[in-house]
Amino acid sequence: MLRVAVVGSGPSGVYTAQALLQQSRVPDVRVHVLDRLPTPYGLVRYGVAPDHEKIKSLQSSLRAVLEDDRITFVGHVEVGGAGGLSPARLKELYHAVVYCVGAAADRPLAVPGEGLPGSFSATEFVSWYSAHPDAAVDGFPLLSRSAVVVGVGNVAVDVARILARGAAELRGTDVPRAALDALEASRVRDVHIVGRRGPSQARFTTKELRELGSLPRARIVVDGVELARDPAYTGAAEGPGAALPAVVRRNLDVLRGWAADPPPTALDRERRVRLRFFLRPVELLERAGRVAGVRFARTAPDGAGGVRDTGTYEDIEAQLVLRAVGYRGTPLPGLPFDPVHGTVPHRAGRVTRDGTASPGEYVAGWIKRGPTGVIGSNRSCAKETVASLVEDAPQLVRREVPADPLEALRAQGLHPVEWDGWLSIERAEAALGRSLGRGQVKIPDWSGLLDAARGDRP
């Protein structure tokens, strides 16, 4: 029997487990899906916006995989951290280990004032409204009038949409109680989404962009002058060999429609979302020890696909600044790490140490290829890694490993939360929602989750 540990229960981890079950060369395989959290689903539970119910429904297909008798969910087990399991110890317990730990660190702006109160990463904001138990922020300055989101990708659009959406529209989601109360009391009226390059180089999908326009309590404001600075927008960049990707054309069409519908002078809606382009943050401005705004350098296309500074500047008032300029992987103690790319070095999913494949160690997902692609991209990534693992299996199974790795984990002082514990958490979250007159509501803290897993919480 081939015993495999998959570290991480998000999409890449579950797709890896599924691919192991679907392959036919090693019919007798058992998979333990380990996670630091007592809850499964990773990014789908704690990264997908609560109003994206269709994407969150992906949990149903992930659940079907994790409920297979050949798979065991092992939550509340940290790998690589202080007091957790080392990669060396995991190799003793399993024939093979696949690390699917994602890329959770956000990229900084690296500008003066970034550490001021009122400046946060989008990751912190998402963790807060998604009830991640590691969310260390007590709350955000939502009693402020203006917020700036730096970045023009889907995460930037997500956090801007949550800021601009009314709390009543989120009451039917699993947003935790404290976050919902704070959003209900929010006084944010202007949300600026700002990118240093042009609209044709923005990274959001058309679906995400159009969702902004469907917000019932917010108006979208786009400056046609800024759009016109982009050669692709005006058609100046088109010609033989210069065809734009379909998603870029669709995005430009959406923005063109918004720019042609300028806002009236009087406020006709409660909030405004302003899409800004060709502005590069150079400093967060301070007043009374807190963020008071962002200074941007005006940029322009440089003719080579990038931008150059024009020597002019613009200040945007903001008491809340969220940076959403990308993610990168972080080192896992005991595994090799490429600091340039933020990934674990590998060949076709096989972890390499000093250029040589390390027997029984593999990677999949963002820690393997970097933060690229959509959730579905993890399927092909997982299949490549599993193909390498299966090819190595005849050598891997020769090594003797414990018949019950969970017994070894408990002997080491760990307290795994298995599938029954997760089902208890689900029941507790459903009961919490009923008590609040809502649907299922997430438990936002470690103690509450672990109490629920033990059945100590109604």
Side-chain angles (χ1 to χ4, degrees):
M1 178 184 295
L2 177 67
R3 296 190 177 277
V4 181
V6 173
V7 182
S9 67
S12 62
V14 176
Y15 292 152
T16 297
Q18 184 179 45
L20 281 163
L21 299 188
Q22 290 175 338
Q23 57 79 34
S24 58
R25 292 177 59 182
V26 185
D28 196 7
V29 59
R30 295 295 183 273
V31 183
H32 283 185
V33 178
L34 279 59
D35 204 293
R36 186 175 64 87
L37 299 173
T39 58
Y41 311 137
L43 181 68
V44 178
R45 176 174 167 91
Y46 289 118
V48 174
D51 57 346
H52 274 174
E53 295 182 5
K54 185 174 181 180
I55 301 176
K56 289 180 75 68
S57 67
L58 178 62
Q59 291 184 20
S60 297
S61 60
L62 301 180
R63 182 191 195 99
V65 177
L66 292 174
E67 287 182 331
D68 190 286
D69 290 340
R70 294 165 291 177
I71 293 178
T72 301
F73 172 69
V74 186
H76 194 218
V77 172
E78 184 166 7
V79 174
L85 291 173
S86 68
R89 178 58 173 152
L90 273 182
K91 284 187 67 174
E92 295 173 353
L93 298 177
Y94 298 91
H95 294 116
V97 183
V98 187
Y99 294 91
C100 306
V101 294
D106 62 278
R107 294 181 182 274
L109 297 176
V111 300
E114 187 170 12
L116 285 169
S119 168
F120 304 89
S121 71
T123 303
E124 292 173 299
F125 190 62
V126 170
S127 293
W128 174 70
Y129 68 62
S130 296
H132 196 293
D134 286 342
V137 180
D138 291 331
F140 293 80
L142 300 184
L143 299 183
S144 308
R145 189 183 67 81
S146 178
V148 165
V149 182
V150 181
V152 283
N154 281 346
V155 174
V157 174
D158 275 348
V159 298
R161 193 180 65 255
I162 296 298
L163 283 170
R165 189 181 282 286
E169 303 162 45
L170 294 171
R171 193 169 299 279
T173 72
D174 59 6
V175 168
R177 178 169 46 181
L180 187 66
D181 290 345
L183 290 168
E184 189 167 28
S186 172
R187 295 180 184 173
V188 174
R189 294 299 175 263
D190 285 297
V191 182
H192 307 260
I193 305 175
V194 188
R196 66 183 180 89
R197 298 196 290 181
S200 67
Q201 296 169 313
R203 302 299 296 272
F204 37 63
T205 60
T206 308
K207 178 180 181 295
E208 290 270 357
L209 188 60
R210 285 175 174 156
E211 284 181 339
L212 285 177
S214 66
L215 294 174
R217 301 171 65 192
R219 185 180 184 92
I220 311 304
V221 181
V222 180
D223 186 345
V225 174
E226 286 185 344
L227 298 183
R229 291 191 175 101
D230 191 328
Y233 180 80
T234 61
E238 296 187 30
L244 295 174
V247 64
V248 173
R249 288 188 180 277
R250 290 194 297 267
N251 287 348
L252 294 180
D253 286 342
V254 173
L255 294 169
R256 186 176 287 108
W258 287 338
D261 182 23
T265 54
L267 286 176
D268 66 330
R269 304 229 181 151
E270 188 171 331
R271 293 176 176 136
R272 297 192 185 199
V273 178
R274 302 175 185 270
L275 284 156
R276 304 294 308 276
F277 299 97
F278 293 113
L279 292 171
R280 180 177 67 85
V282 294
E283 183 182 1
L284 270 60
L285 306 176
E286 178 266 339
R287 183 184 303 124
R290 297 186 58 84
V291 165
V294 185
R295 177 158 295 161
F296 292 93
R298 170 64 68 185
T299 64
D302 64 4
V307 293
R308 57 176 177 80
D309 286 355
T310 64
T312 60
Y313 297 86
E314 178 180 340
D315 294 350
I316 297 180
E317 174 196 349
Q319 300 79 38
L320 170 62
V321 177
L322 300 172
R323 62 183 181 274
V325 292
Y327 297 92
R328 61 181 287 110
T330 56
L332 190 69
L335 278 185
F337 187 71
D338 179 352
V340 175
H341 299 98
T343 57
V344 171
H346 71 94
R347 284 202 296 268
R350 295 181 177 93
V351 172
T352 58
R353 296 177 181 270
D354 299 321
T356 302
S358 177
E361 293 185 311
Y362 305 84
V363 285
W366 278 6
I367 198 63
K368 170 187 174 184
R369 67 182 192 276
T372 61
V374 295
I375 289 177
S377 305
N378 291 298
R379 286 187 181 276
S380 56
C381 177
K383 287 179 179 179
E384 179 190 56
T385 295
V386 167
S388 295
L389 192 161
V390 169
E391 185 177 331
D392 301 340
Q395 289 74 40
L396 298 175
V397 295
R398 294 175 182 172
R399 185 169 54 86
E400 189 171 330
V401 297
D404 185 4
L406 289 184
E407 183 178 328
L409 296 183
R410 295 188 183 97
Q412 194 167 321
L414 301 178
H415 303 281
V417 172
E418 297 183 58
W419 194 252
D420 285 347
W422 159 240
L423 295 180
S424 292
I425 292 173
E426 278 194 319
R427 289 192 293 269
E429 292 184 336
L432 175 60
R434 286 193 299 271
S435 72
L436 299 172
R438 298 170 55 191
Q440 186 162 335
V441 173
K442 288 180 184 172
I443 297 171
D445 57 281
W446 275 99
S447 60
L449 289 169
L450 294 177
D451 286 349
R454 292 190 295 265
D456 298 339
R457 181 167 177 158

